Amino acid sequence: MPARPELIRPDDAATAAAMSRAMNALTALLVALGEGSHQFNIVAERTNDTVVTADLSLSAGASPLRVEHTEEGYLRFFALLTFALEYSTIRRAVLVATTADEPFPRACGWTVRDGWLHPMDRRELQEALTPCPDVTAPGLPRARPVPPRRAHRGERP
């Protein structure tokens, strides 16, 4: 019996698949954000109701390609992203990327559901970026049901 029965060790194949998705997601985010200094924050609620956070500061540049980060920060962030995408021990999670570089400072956010990153709309992102007491990373938006998608004119239902 595990020392903490509320946390069950995920299957190795599920973890490997989630690691692959985490690497692909992080690579896609860096490509989409482009050159500059980026801050990634992830906050997750575990199935035992504890909240865990990780952050990662990356500086990406081209010619030649370089990515600068601390090893400890990268490993913690990557592990939490992997377990959020694996989702057997994580109830919900939010990932926020901010870039302060001029001339295009920006913030982008994703919720992690069912093993995938889903873009946040502007309201969800604003709610996630609202400072929370005693938490350095963005907060988790309140869970709410997703309304059914309506078919657009000329589209099959």
Side-chain angles (χ1 to χ4, degrees):
M1 174 171 249
R4 297 185 64 187
E6 70 276 9
L7 296 177
I8 298 169
R9 185 175 186 274
D11 173 275
D12 288 342
T15 302
M19 284 178 69
S20 177
R21 287 194 310 275
M23 185 59 72
N24 289 340
L26 195 53
T27 301
L29 291 176
L30 283 173
V31 169
L33 292 171
E35 290 187 33
S37 296
H38 311 292
Q39 176 71 33
F40 295 92
N41 294 294
I42 188 169
V43 60
E45 180 182 18
R46 295 171 65 172
T47 55
N48 67 352
D49 296 327
T50 59
V51 174
V52 290
T53 64
D55 62 317
L56 176 64
S57 295
L58 289 176
S59 178
S63 297
L65 176 67
R66 72 180 189 288
V67 177
E68 299 170 8
H69 57 77
T70 65
E71 185 176 355
E72 180 182 324
Y74 174 78
L75 293 176
R76 179 176 170 79
F77 178 84
F78 188 75
L80 186 52
L81 179 59
T82 297
F83 284 109
L85 293 174
E86 191 277 328
Y87 73 93
S88 70
T89 59
I90 302 291
R91 186 173 293 134
R92 57 192 174 138
V94 171
L95 171 64
V96 175
T98 55
T99 300
D101 291 345
E102 295 296 334
F104 303 110
R106 59 200 178 277
C108 307
W110 299 265
T111 57
V112 182
R113 291 188 314 272
D114 303 322
W116 299 100
L117 292 173
H118 300 274
M120 298 171 82
D121 64 26
R122 187 178 299 249
R123 186 186 57 73
E124 290 173 317
L125 180 59
Q126 186 174 12
E127 187 175 309
L129 289 173
T130 301
C132 299
D134 303 323
V135 177
T136 58
L140 287 167
R142 289 180 289 284
R144 67 181 197 296
V146 177
R149 185 180 174 277
R150 290 192 220 170
H152 294 285
R153 193 177 287 174
E155 187 178 58
R156 291 183 183 175

